[in-house]
């Protein structure tokens, strides 16, 4: 993002935040005016940044329609906090106002008894719709499928379909994509509202509908979101195991799924788990829990490097200056490995590279690693000569080339192997590569040192 | 993504790829059947994986409508390759079939003379529309704004607006969001097609239109995409500096922008630049170029660690076992710093945390770092005792606590500072933190060693 834009956006947000800050100290009329004037996403951001009690006060000031929309946009953990603070009448009304799929995700984040109680308090048809959504596994498309749609039978005409849309328009979440179904609710086609409007009313649907691009309710949410993105679709039909229509998965939900997955990937890449609440509302204990697991694994793995150095301790004692370049060498190896891994994780994620391409990847990464290592060795020669003698400098430069080649190759290989064995590449790659490069890098260094210096 | 889903998806792709592989070896009829049977995104993936000559052959086999849609989905660098292989008549026809905003992005990727020549070959109105898109800076919303839309005057009725939509439906890229304009083309509202259909034709537009959520043509593309995502909009009006309507920015383009930005962020986090072509089509020279810059900067910075060790060389000579734990110590520090930085980069990106929150961030990260360091020190005590004596083990454990505290604090601080000074946090954080933690970690280690061991 360019600097000027970022600044302009930031200034606006900063002003809104400061106004809210002032208003928090008791001036409810002022706060209400600000909340009504602000863009809904800004209101949501501010709500997530507030302490729970302030958040409840601010939320109560929102008009009903905005309150429902803002609530839908909050993180589920924040929704749960908020429901805990609101009175039970407010809670029931809010839950009743949500769309069935949003409601299901909210109930998921709540205490089991409270969720059951709220579900029981819903009108019959809304309860049934919500229960159908809840019957699907979390993180599947079924959880995001809205049952509130307009579908038309396959023997209808364009005009009949358009009338069906106009009749169903009040209750439907979207009407821009209209599934065409057979008597068993199997989806035989899809027609866009645009097409319906552009077509003579007498034309039969069968001649204007497209092949449906559909997803299954049991599919992982990320697969469904990728289908929507790759096809540039506004919504896709969601089918059950017998290929019958369950609902529609809409593009705004697809974007939310992709954002959640991006949060998760970026957390995994650094060896942490995704925070369920915004950072400022997350306790130190939760931060520690989200990070400790990988650190423990990595520190146990790092004792490998201690072992390697212990094995070569005699060489170290003879030439202590060898120790001076250990951090530079393994740091550089780690960087080269991380670069290769990051490129490969992305290439695997967007399906540019598959397991069958392994030989080509190894060839490319080996060549790239050698080239990078050679360039870095030239740069490192001067400091190596300054701090050590000519022979040690030679050891350092040779080691750089070998370590970079190894690191790039491992960085390219590990994500492909992880994917092959059904492990998320983002989870294992960075930690595995660091450990691999540190341990093998030291072995390479001391073997080369042994050969060159005759240790 | 769950394993079963991933497998199922992979199997399907694998089969398609193998079928294509077989077909490549000359069986054009077979290849055509496969291309026609496959989902368009799969075809695009396969085209991007093919060698240039094969790609051209396969592309020629696509029916004209699919060819245009597939072409729009290719990476611009691959588009340029393909245009270089196709005959000039095919190229002109393909370029003429594109939407103006897609055409502008394609022309951008081409040699300047060729682009000008292709532009000159377009029909008058398409040339004018494309030139207007090209007048905007790259990576701004203006480059994604489609001028092919339906807008209606503010004094129209719902029925008149609906008729305008039906008349314009053939040429427009989207008709689901209809900007309402005044005589100067200033956007005074927005009405959805859904609203138009649900409203009595006699009702004046002014009473049903919503406040427009709009973006400016000069805005950064990422800002615009975030606006679309945060509001769950299908399209938003794009305005010029005088607030006049330039075009619409649609949700499918917003998703493409977010994907590009995600590519870029993931590359930056690891200190590389984004590849402009799919991995398998990228040469070793390009891979080296995308990675060498940061490695050179980092290896120069890493000489700091050599300096530190050189300064403490006397201590190292006295107690060589201190060297055994150097990789473990700075590796752990680097991991803790990377975790904190990754959490903070994400929190800054989604605006959960701003510069004013700096004190709270520092407090949280310091506490988290100390807690993590203490837990890791307990685990590290056993190997430390095994490889060294009790006093050195104490040095190692104390150093772990201090280094983790420093690393977490730096990891939290650096992204906030980067953002404040207008630098993309993802660019500087990982490298800065590694270097900072390596150098300060060593200083801490040897100072504690000096104090405890009396060196």
């Amino acid at each position: 993002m360019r600097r000027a834009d970022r600044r302009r956006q930031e200034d606006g947000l900063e002003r809104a935040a400061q106004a809210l800050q002032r208003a928090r100290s008791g001036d409810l009329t002022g706060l209400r005016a600000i909340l009504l004037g602000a863009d809904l996403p800004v209101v949501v951001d501010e709500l997530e940044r507030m302490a729970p009690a302030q958040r409840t006060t601010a939320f109560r000031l929102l008009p009903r329609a905005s309150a429902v929309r803002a609530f839908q946009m909050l993180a589920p953990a924040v929704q749960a906090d908020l429901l805990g603070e609101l009175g039970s009448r407010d809670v029931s009304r809010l839950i009743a106002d949500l769309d069935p799929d949003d409601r299901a995700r909210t109930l998921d984040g709540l205490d089991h008894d409270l969720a059951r109680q709220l579900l029981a308090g819903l009108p019959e048809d809304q309860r049934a719709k919500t229960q159908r959504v809840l019957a699907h596994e979390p993180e599947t498309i079924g959880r995001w499928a809205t049952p509130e749609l307009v579908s038309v039978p396959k023997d209808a005409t364009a005009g009949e379909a358009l009338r069906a849309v106009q009749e169903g328009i009040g209750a439907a979440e979207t009407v821009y994509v209209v599934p065409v179904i057979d008597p068993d609710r199997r989806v035989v086609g899809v027609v866009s509202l645009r097409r319906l409007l552009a077509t003579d009313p007498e034309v039969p649907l069968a001649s204007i509908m497209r092949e449906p691009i559909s997803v299954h309710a049991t599919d992982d949410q990320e697969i469904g979101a990728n289908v929507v993105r790759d096809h540039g679709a506004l919504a896709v039909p969601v089918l059950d195991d017998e290929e019958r229509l369950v609902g529609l998965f809409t593009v705004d939900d697809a974007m939310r799924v992709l954002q959640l997955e991006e949060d998760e990937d970026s957390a995994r890449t650094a060896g942490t788990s995704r925070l369920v609440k915004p950072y400022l509302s997350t306790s130190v204990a939760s931060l520690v829990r989200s990070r400790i697991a990988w650190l423990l694994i990595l520190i146990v793995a790092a004792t490998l490097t201690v072992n390697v150095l212990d094995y070569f301790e005699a060489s170290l004692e003879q030439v202590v200056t060898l120790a001076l370049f250990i951090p530079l060498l393994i740091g550089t190896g780690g960087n080269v490995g991380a670069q290769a891994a990051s490129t490969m994780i992305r290439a695997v994620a967007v399906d540019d590279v598959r397991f069958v391409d392994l030989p080509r990847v190894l060839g490319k990464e080996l060549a790239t690693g050698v080239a990078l290592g050679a360039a870095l060795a030239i740069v490192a020669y001067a400091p190596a000569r300054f701090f050590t003698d000519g022979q040690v400098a030679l050891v350092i430069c040779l080691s750089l080339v070998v370590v970079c080649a190894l690191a790039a190759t491992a960085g390219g290989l590990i994500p492909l192997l992880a994917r092959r064995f059904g492990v998320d590449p983002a989870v294992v790659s960075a930690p595995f590569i660091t450990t691999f490069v540190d341990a093998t890098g030291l072995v390479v260094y001391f073997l080369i040192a042994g050969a060159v210096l005759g240790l």
Side-chain angles (χ1 to χ4, degrees), chain A:
Chain A
M1 199 180 282
R2 287 169 317 148
R3 191 168 166 160
D5 289 331
R6 181 61 97 175
R7 268 298 157 100
R8 203 168 60 191
Q9 192 194 30
E10 198 139 89
D11 287 350
L13 290 171
E14 211 72 51
R15 268 200 305 279
Q18 282 162 7
L20 279 171
Q21 200 80 41
R22 279 197 303 275
R24 270 176 216 172
S25 44
D27 174 15
L28 293 188
T29 327
L31 179 55
R32 181 153 210 263
I34 291 158
L35 288 173
L36 291 180
D39 238 13
L40 205 57
V42 173
V43 171
V44 172
D45 266 359
E46 288 308 321
L47 287 175
E48 294 199 331
R49 290 163 51 84
M50 288 180 185
Q54 291 172 319
R55 185 189 293 143
T56 312
T57 309
F59 187 77
R60 284 215 179 90
L61 294 173
L62 292 172
R64 184 164 172 178
S66 309
V68 172
R69 287 180 54 217
F71 186 82
Q72 289 181 336
M73 292 158 82
L74 290 170
V78 178
Q79 290 181 339
D81 282 359
L82 187 58
L83 292 178
E85 297 264 336
L86 289 171
S88 65
R89 249 197 49 206
D90 286 347
V91 170
S92 310
R93 204 177 62 176
L94 189 59
I95 294 289
D97 281 348
L98 295 175
D99 286 330
D101 56 319
D102 287 301
R103 189 187 294 133
R105 284 190 304 276
T106 300
L107 292 177
D108 250 352
L110 300 179
D111 169 73
H112 193 69
D113 286 339
L114 176 59
R116 213 169 39 189
Q117 190 188 321
L118 288 173
L119 199 54
L122 289 172
E124 175 55 35
D125 72 314
Q126 286 297 319
R127 183 167 67 236
K129 279 181 182 164
T130 309
Q131 277 168 332
R132 275 200 294 275
V133 176
L134 280 169
H136 300 290
E137 294 272 323
E139 307 209 351
T140 62
I141 292 293
R143 281 300 181 101
W144 296 89
T146 175
E148 309 202 302
L149 56 84
V150 176
S151 62
V152 290
K154 65 175 175 176
D155 52 6
T157 62
E160 285 164 356
L162 193 54
R163 269 194 303 283
V165 167
Q166 279 179 306
E167 279 160 23
I169 216 163
E173 194 176 317
T174 181
V175 292
Y176 298 133
V177 172
V178 181
V180 181
I181 55 175
D182 72 8
D184 294 327
R185 277 191 81 72
R186 286 199 181 77
V187 178
V188 295
V190 162
V191 65
S192 66
L193 178 56
R194 175 188 180 142
R195 193 77 192 256
L196 288 180
L197 277 175
T199 306
D200 188 310
E202 303 304 314
V203 172
L205 268 190
S207 67
I208 58 165
M209 70 190 189
R210 276 184 302 103
E211 283 266 319
I213 301 149
S214 55
V215 290
H216 282 88
T218 51
D219 282 344
D220 185 278
Q221 58 184 14
E222 190 175 6
I223 290 190
N226 286 336
V227 167
V228 170
R229 172 167 63 191
D230 291 349
H231 287 87
L234 295 182
V236 292
V238 179
L239 311 181
D240 66 13
D241 287 341
E242 275 122 45
E243 309 292 312
R244 284 183 310 236
L245 182 63
V246 171
L248 279 177
F249 180 53
T250 54
V251 66
D252 55 321
D253 285 341
M255 288 183 110
R256 285 166 71 186
V257 166
L258 291 173
Q259 190 170 21
L260 284 173
E261 298 287 344
E262 196 184 332
D263 280 354
E264 199 169 275
D265 284 353
S266 101
R268 281 184 176 173
T269 307
T272 71
S273 48
R274 186 173 71 81
L275 300 180
V276 295
K277 287 189 194 181
Y279 179 83
L280 294 178
S281 317
T282 304
S283 67
V284 169
S286 304
L287 287 176
V288 171
R289 269 198 303 276
S290 74
R291 300 179 189 176
I292 190 72
W294 266 114
L295 290 177
L296 287 175
I297 296 170
L298 291 175
I299 203 165
V300 170
T303 54
L304 248 176
T305 61
V306 182
N307 262 299
V308 171
L309 286 174
D310 186 57
Y311 184 82
F312 290 108
E313 194 173 351
S315 310
L316 255 186
E317 267 170 7
Q318 277 181 268
V319 191
V320 170
T321 47
L322 281 175
L324 268 52
F325 283 82
I326 288 177
L328 180 142
L329 194 69
I330 64 178
T332 301
N335 290 331
V336 170
Q339 287 182 329
S342 142
T343 303
M344 195 51 48
I345 288 172
R346 192 69 196 153
V348 166
V350 299
D351 214 49
D352 275 352
V353 174
R354 305 199 192 120
F355 192 70
V356 291
D357 303 315
L358 191 71
R360 289 171 72 187
V361 170
L362 288 185
K364 264 182 204 284
E365 289 300 332
L366 185 62
T368 305
V370 170
L372 291 172
L376 295 172
I378 292 168
V379 175
Y381 184 72
R385 276 302 272 129
F386 182 80
F387 288 105
T388 69
D389 62 37
Q391 283 207 301
V392 176
L394 179 64
V395 170
I396 291 162
C397 292
L398 282 177
S399 300
L400 265 176
V401 177
V402 179
V403 167
C404 288
L406 270 173
T409 311
L413 181 66
I414 292 173
L416 277 179
L417 287 178
R419 168 76 177 269
R420 189 58 178 183
F421 293 109
V423 180
D424 183 339
V427 176
V428 294
S429 296
F432 266 58
I433 287 158
T434 310
T435 310
F436 173 86
V437 168
D438 286 4
T440 54
L442 290 172
V443 172
V444 166
Y445 187 40
F446 282 98
L447 288 180
I448 292 179
V452 174
L453 308 174
L455 299 173

